């Protein structure tokens, strides 16, 4: 909705079903918007801050640079913010970053980080219902939508012609 067209992803571990589902969601969203998925715009992490930082370093060197990065969890998104700031990029002025999970970390970041929030209470109720009433388990809904916790790491994309900033890692 903000107008981003080069949206990168920091995926989770390839052997993790949660990571696979989240990456498929990213790819489906790109397809729905009519956006191509450039393989150079997907980097994998291992759910950690350090892996998010390293993946973002790779993604931020792609030309043209993505205007947004979606990370498949909040720790990797926090690492991506750290990497962007190390490259002297403004978040969200040069690149918007969003996490997944809306963990307490998201609200404590500087700037406060946007994240997708899952309806955990509703999911837990459905799981408990299936366990307590297996005979009716098939009738209990198991698809849940995420809600955006919009915070300060989201903005419209920068004017690409006016943001040819070079990527220089800060020393020290």
């Amino acid at each position: 909705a903000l107008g981003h067209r080069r949206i990168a992803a920091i995926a989770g571990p390839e052997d993790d079903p949660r990571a696979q589902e989240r990456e498929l969601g990213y790819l489906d969203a790109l397809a729905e918007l009519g956006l191509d998925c450039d393989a150079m715009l997907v980097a994998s992490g291992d759910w950690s801050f350090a892996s998010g930082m390293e993946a973002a370093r790779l993604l931020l060197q792609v030309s043209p640079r993505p205007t947004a990065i979606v990370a498949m969890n909040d720790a990797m998104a926090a690492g991506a913010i750290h990497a962007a700031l190390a490259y002297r990029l403004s978040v969200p002025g040069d690149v918007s970053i969003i996490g997944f999970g809306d963990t307490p970390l998201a609200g404590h970041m500087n700037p406060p980080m946007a994240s997708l929030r899952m309806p955990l209470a509703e999911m837990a109720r459905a799981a408990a219902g299936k366990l307590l009433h297996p005979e009716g388990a098939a009738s209990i809904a198991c698809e849940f939508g995420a809600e955006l916790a919009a915070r300060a790491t989201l903005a419209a994309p920068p004017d690409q012609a006016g943001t040819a900033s070079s990527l220089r890692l800060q020393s020290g």
Side-chain angles (χ1 to χ4, degrees), residues 24 27 34 37 63 73 80 84 86 93 111 113 119 136 147 151-152 155 165:
L24 285 174
L27 295 171
C37 178
S63 182
N73 78 351
M113 182 173 67
E147 177 183 327
R151 296 192 182 95
S165 59

mmCIF file of all heavy atoms in Angstrom, residues 24 27 34 37 63 73 80 84 86 93 111 113 119 136 147 151-152 155 165:
data_model
loop_
_atom_site.group_PDB
_atom_site.id
_atom_site.type_symbol
_atom_site.label_atom_id
_atom_site.label_comp_id
_atom_site.label_asym_id
_atom_site.label_seq_id
_atom_site.Cartn_x
_atom_site.Cartn_y
_atom_site.Cartn_z
ATOM 1 N N LEU A 24 6.643 -18.751 1.331
ATOM 2 C CA LEU A 24 5.574 -18.926 0.348
ATOM 3 C C LEU A 24 4.569 -17.778 0.424
ATOM 4 O O LEU A 24 4.075 -17.307 -0.608
ATOM 5 C CB LEU A 24 4.867 -20.269 0.546
ATOM 6 C CG LEU A 24 5.636 -21.498 0.083
ATOM 7 C CD1 LEU A 24 4.893 -22.770 0.472
ATOM 8 C CD2 LEU A 24 5.892 -21.449 -1.411
ATOM 9 N N LEU A 27 6.132 -14.890 -1.388
ATOM 10 C CA LEU A 27 6.081 -15.097 -2.838
ATOM 11 C C LEU A 27 4.656 -14.943 -3.376
ATOM 12 O O LEU A 27 4.448 -14.344 -4.442
ATOM 13 C CB LEU A 27 6.643 -16.476 -3.195
ATOM 14 C CG LEU A 27 8.127 -16.670 -2.891
ATOM 15 C CD1 LEU A 27 8.522 -18.134 -3.079
ATOM 16 C CD2 LEU A 27 8.983 -15.747 -3.747
ATOM 17 N N GLY A 34 1.550 -8.552 -8.735
ATOM 18 C CA GLY A 34 2.133 -8.499 -10.066
ATOM 19 C C GLY A 34 3.608 -8.132 -10.057
ATOM 20 O O GLY A 34 4.131 -7.636 -11.044
ATOM 21 N N CYS A 37 9.652 -11.838 -8.523
ATOM 22 C CA CYS A 37 10.531 -12.191 -7.416
ATOM 23 C C CYS A 37 11.916 -12.455 -7.983
ATOM 24 O O CYS A 37 12.141 -13.465 -8.632
ATOM 25 C CB CYS A 37 10.029 -13.412 -6.669
ATOM 26 S SG CYS A 37 11.157 -13.862 -5.339
ATOM 27 N N SER A 63 21.762 -4.274 -6.703
ATOM 28 C CA SER A 63 21.475 -3.061 -7.459
ATOM 29 C C SER A 63 20.412 -3.359 -8.516
ATOM 30 O O SER A 63 20.582 -4.320 -9.276
ATOM 31 C CB SER A 63 22.753 -2.544 -8.118
ATOM 32 O OG SER A 63 22.492 -1.352 -8.807
ATOM 33 N N ASN A 73 11.168 -13.155 11.003
ATOM 34 C CA ASN A 73 10.946 -13.019 12.447
ATOM 35 C C ASN A 73 11.522 -11.677 12.894
ATOM 36 O O ASN A 73 12.234 -10.992 12.140
ATOM 37 C CB ASN A 73 11.479 -14.208 13.261
ATOM 38 C CG ASN A 73 12.979 -14.192 13.473
ATOM 39 O OD1 ASN A 73 13.723 -13.404 12.901
ATOM 40 N ND2 ASN A 73 13.443 -15.095 14.328
ATOM 41 N N ALA A 80 18.533 -6.661 10.515
ATOM 42 C CA ALA A 80 18.482 -5.918 9.255
ATOM 43 C C ALA A 80 18.537 -4.414 9.508
ATOM 44 O O ALA A 80 19.215 -3.678 8.782
ATOM 45 C CB ALA A 80 17.222 -6.289 8.480
ATOM 46 N N ALA A 84 21.381 -1.896 8.083
ATOM 47 C CA ALA A 84 21.055 -0.689 7.309
ATOM 48 C C ALA A 84 21.690 0.542 7.939
ATOM 49 O O ALA A 84 22.264 1.393 7.241
ATOM 50 C CB ALA A 84 19.537 -0.520 7.215
ATOM 51 N N ALA A 86 24.334 0.601 9.816
ATOM 52 C CA ALA A 86 25.785 0.503 9.635
ATOM 53 C C ALA A 86 26.203 0.980 8.256
ATOM 54 O O ALA A 86 27.310 1.505 8.084
ATOM 55 C CB ALA A 86 26.259 -0.931 9.869
ATOM 56 N N GLY A 93 13.611 5.951 5.841
ATOM 57 C CA GLY A 93 13.817 6.876 4.728
ATOM 58 C C GLY A 93 14.386 6.229 3.484
ATOM 59 O O GLY A 93 13.922 6.474 2.374
ATOM 60 N N PRO A 111 14.474 2.881 15.571
ATOM 61 C CA PRO A 111 13.061 3.227 15.760
ATOM 62 C C PRO A 111 12.218 1.982 16.036
ATOM 63 O O PRO A 111 12.629 0.872 15.695
ATOM 64 C CB PRO A 111 12.683 3.845 14.407
ATOM 65 C CG PRO A 111 13.581 3.201 13.419
ATOM 66 C CD PRO A 111 14.872 2.949 14.153
ATOM 67 N N MET A 113 9.931 -0.978 15.598
ATOM 68 C CA MET A 113 9.881 -1.779 14.380
ATOM 69 C C MET A 113 8.476 -2.287 14.064
ATOM 70 O O MET A 113 7.792 -2.833 14.930
ATOM 71 C CB MET A 113 10.829 -2.972 14.552
ATOM 72 C CG MET A 113 10.951 -3.882 13.376
ATOM 73 S SD MET A 113 12.243 -5.114 13.681
ATOM 74 C CE MET A 113 11.523 -6.081 15.002
ATOM 75 N N PRO A 119 -2.575 -13.884 15.645
ATOM 76 C CA PRO A 119 -3.581 -13.969 16.711
ATOM 77 C C PRO A 119 -3.329 -15.207 17.586
ATOM 78 O O PRO A 119 -4.015 -16.224 17.464
ATOM 79 C CB PRO A 119 -4.895 -14.054 15.934
ATOM 80 C CG PRO A 119 -4.511 -14.733 14.653
ATOM 81 C CD PRO A 119 -3.119 -14.256 14.346
ATOM 82 N N GLY A 136 -14.751 -33.343 16.511
ATOM 83 C CA GLY A 136 -15.164 -32.154 15.756
ATOM 84 C C GLY A 136 -13.984 -31.346 15.245
ATOM 85 O O GLY A 136 -14.148 -30.209 14.803
ATOM 86 N N GLU A 147 -2.025 -9.450 11.551
ATOM 87 C CA GLU A 147 -2.392 -8.035 11.641
ATOM 88 C C GLU A 147 -1.097 -7.227 11.686
ATOM 89 O O GLU A 147 -0.153 -7.590 12.386
ATOM 90 C CB GLU A 147 -3.198 -7.810 12.923
ATOM 91 C CG GLU A 147 -3.582 -6.386 13.181
ATOM 92 C CD GLU A 147 -4.316 -6.244 14.512
ATOM 93 O OE1 GLU A 147 -5.042 -7.166 14.905
ATOM 94 O OE2 GLU A 147 -4.121 -5.201 15.158
ATOM 95 N N ARG A 151 4.663 0.526 12.713
ATOM 96 C CA ARG A 151 5.493 1.381 13.567
ATOM 97 C C ARG A 151 6.442 2.185 12.684
ATOM 98 O O ARG A 151 6.285 2.239 11.475
ATOM 99 C CB ARG A 151 6.236 0.528 14.585
ATOM 100 C CG ARG A 151 5.317 -0.189 15.569
ATOM 101 C CD ARG A 151 6.089 -0.781 16.748
ATOM 102 N NE ARG A 151 5.196 -1.489 17.642
ATOM 103 C CZ ARG A 151 4.973 -2.803 17.603
ATOM 104 N NH1 ARG A 151 5.592 -3.564 16.712
ATOM 105 N NH2 ARG A 151 4.138 -3.367 18.447
ATOM 106 N N ALA A 152 7.437 2.767 13.283
ATOM 107 C CA ALA A 152 8.282 3.768 12.632
ATOM 108 C C ALA A 152 9.243 3.249 11.571
ATOM 109 O O ALA A 152 9.952 4.046 10.966
ATOM 110 C CB ALA A 152 9.066 4.537 13.696
ATOM 111 N N ALA A 155 7.689 3.339 5.653
ATOM 112 C CA ALA A 155 7.397 4.594 4.963
ATOM 113 C C ALA A 155 7.287 4.299 3.482
ATOM 114 O O ALA A 155 7.680 3.223 3.019
ATOM 115 C CB ALA A 155 8.502 5.618 5.221
ATOM 116 N N SER A 165 22.663 6.797 -2.821
ATOM 117 C CA SER A 165 23.666 6.825 -1.763
ATOM 118 C C SER A 165 24.532 5.578 -1.837
ATOM 119 O O SER A 165 24.062 4.495 -2.108
ATOM 120 C CB SER A 165 22.988 6.913 -0.385
ATOM 121 O OG SER A 165 22.135 5.825 -0.194
#
